[in-house]
Amino acid sequence: MESSFVYILYSRRLDRYYTGVTTLSVVEQIENHIEKKYGKLNFTQKADDWELYHSIKCEGFAQARRIEMHIKKMKSKIYLQNLKSFPEMVDKLLAKYRNN
């Protein structure tokens, strides 16, 4: 099964987070954002100091996408910070959105 990741980037300059999903390695994905490979309409084009804040390895793309959408719906920096601080939150998301 192909690995997929939910990743959360942080820009100090913007003081903003960006959440995405990828089947690439997380390092490769960040490089693509920094090198502005995703076009002018992508939010990450607004800064060039994106760094990996947190990542979640998922069972597959479908699970990763559902977790990404869950995180984005929360619309909360505190929620993102808690995901990093409390690994049990990630475990619950992985269980809730487990591929069947």
Side-chain angles (χ1 to χ4, degrees), residues 12-89:
R12 291 183 194 277
R13 187 169 74 76
L14 299 177
D15 189 28
R16 296 282 302 268
Y17 293 91
Y18 174 84
T19 304
V21 63
T22 187
T23 55
L24 301 173
S25 76
V26 174
V27 171
E28 198 175 351
Q29 186 69 19
I30 294 168
E31 288 172 359
N32 287 341
H33 281 290
I34 291 171
E35 294 171 8
K36 303 183 185 317
K37 291 188 176 182
Y38 295 111
K40 294 181 181 180
L41 297 178
N42 189 288
F43 176 77
T44 58
Q45 300 297 309
K46 296 179 180 186
D48 59 4
D49 67 336
W50 294 103
E51 59 188 46
L52 180 63
Y53 180 76
H54 192 58
S55 67
I56 302 168
K57 185 174 182 180
C58 300
E59 294 173 353
F61 186 80
Q63 181 187 40
R65 184 77 171 123
R66 289 191 301 266
I67 291 172
E68 175 200 25
M69 297 312 298
H70 171 89
I71 292 170
K72 287 181 173 183
K73 285 179 186 176
M74 298 307 289
K75 297 184 184 235
S76 169
K77 285 183 179 183
I78 301 296
Y79 186 79
L80 296 174
Q81 293 163 352
N82 285 341
L83 278 176
K84 185 174 181 177
S85 298
F86 302 105
E88 61 272 18
M89 288 178 65

